[in-house]
Amino acid sequence: MSHRSIIILPDDTANEIIAAIDGAKDSLLIKMFLFSDPFLIDAVIGAKKRGVKVKVMLNPARRSGEEENEETRRKLEEAGIEVRDSNPEFTITHEKSMVIDDKVAFIKSLNWETKNFTETRDYAIITYHPHEVKEIILCFEADWHRKNFNPGPDLNLIWCSNNGRIKIAKFIDEAKHTLFVQNERFQDLVIIERLVHAASRGVKVHIMARPPHTLKMEKLVEGVGGLRIMDDVGIKIHKLKNLKLHGKMLLADGCRAIVGSINLSPGSFDHRRELAIEVHDAPVIERLKKIAHHDWENSHTLDLSDQGLLEDLESMGTAGIEKLVLDENSEMKKHHKHKK
């Protein structure tokens, strides 16, 4: 078998991931940013009980110091599973991956939290391509043993901090007609410039982002600034209705896509362990085309005028207003065109 397939959440469920774990015979490698879903914990422990060799690598803490994986770590270790912190070379290991029996790999935007299966737009690519599976294993073992992972110019996948920015910039540069981008964060100036340039050469760019109030205060200026720059040049920027956007997906010309864990921010490109994959497989692309258009039809324009931002950032108090130098008297003025 040599192909790729896709899981789209919450349209699909956790069942395919659980079934894959339940079918593991020899080995299971898991690298996860957040892991707390009880059904997945039980599935991994069940694999260990069947004699599968299981290794789990968990991000030890967020930058705030909050440790969200400790309870899961305790349960896994009590079941005899080897668990290690992710590589301390990176501020955060945001990669979400799984390899089963050295034959199939999952490359995901989703954490293994229950809400990622029920409340958020998220994606997972399943690949059986041997060279892609091998690459994920090599990186896992390098991070497990605290060794450098740098397989040279022949990388098949998209890694941070290796080739992430280069690969995504090139992907955008090669778009000819349409570009749908779903991402939580638009903060990296190189990528923002590429998106602006794509729009200027006639590509119809559709951006789906999370509202500014979901940004951390220290990222507010660059996050809102990036969205406003794109808004100013006529790029359409929307937010999802009814679902939270967590997936990271780019779809170009309805024929190629990138899916993975990478936020479009300097921190993700330069300081985090991240993983994504470019796919051209027709069945995967067809599903992504349908979901991109469905999500766009079920979304709102993100109001990036001063008044729109004031309303959105109300929960942050005056700190957000001060950081962005917003005009609190601008209720009737629109410094940024609100597109319909």
Side-chain angles (χ1 to χ4, degrees), residues 242-339:
N242 305 321
L243 280 178
K244 296 176 183 177
L245 177 63
H246 184 259
K248 300 92 171 68
M249 186 271 286
L250 298 90
L251 175 66
D253 301 325
C255 64
R256 56 197 181 91
I258 288 176
V259 171
S261 68
I262 304 172
N263 284 309
L264 302 178
S265 68
S268 292
F269 288 124
D270 299 326
H271 304 295
R272 294 184 173 194
R273 170 65 81 210
E274 305 270 12
L275 172 61
I277 184 171
E278 181 171 342
V279 294
H280 300 218
D281 312 62
V284 174
I285 296 299
E286 283 304 309
R287 282 208 70 192
L288 286 173
K289 282 167 62 177
K290 288 178 182 177
I291 210 71
H293 287 283
H294 172 273
D295 285 354
W296 194 257
E297 291 167 3
N298 291 276
S299 63
H300 297 288
T301 300
L302 194 54
D303 185 355
L304 294 165
S305 67
D306 277 10
Q307 184 59 27
L309 288 169
L310 285 165
E311 292 172 0
D312 182 77
L313 297 171
E314 189 174 1
S315 62
M316 285 188 168
T318 59
I321 298 170
E322 292 170 357
K323 275 184 171 288
L324 295 173
V325 198
L326 298 176
D327 183 355
E328 296 183 72
N329 300 312
S330 66
E331 185 167 0
M332 301 306 295
K333 295 188 294 182
K334 298 291 181 182
H335 294 302
H336 288 70
K337 186 179 179 182
H338 184 196
K339 298 181 291 300

Side-chain angles (χ1 to χ4, degrees), residues 173-191:
D173 289 347
E174 292 174 349
K176 294 179 173 62
H177 306 292
T178 59
L179 190 60
F180 284 86
V181 185
Q182 294 184 347
N183 206 280
E184 289 183 272
R185 302 181 189 177
F186 292 83
Q187 298 166 347
D188 188 79
L189 289 177
V190 172
I191 299 303

Side-chain angles (χ1 to χ4, degrees), residues 211-234:
H213 75 265
T214 64
L215 294 168
K216 292 183 173 65
M217 186 64 74
E218 65 270 20
K219 298 297 181 182
L220 193 60
V221 171
E222 60 188 11
V224 172
L227 293 173
R228 278 186 140 182
I229 287 168
M230 293 187 290
D231 184 62
D232 278 340
V233 300

Side-chain angles (χ1 to χ4, degrees), residues 21-22 24 28 42-54:
I21 297 169
D22 289 346
L28 188 58
D42 288 346
V44 173
I45 292 173
K48 173 65 178 178
K49 289 179 178 178
R50 294 194 311 274
V52 176
K53 185 177 181 181
V54 182

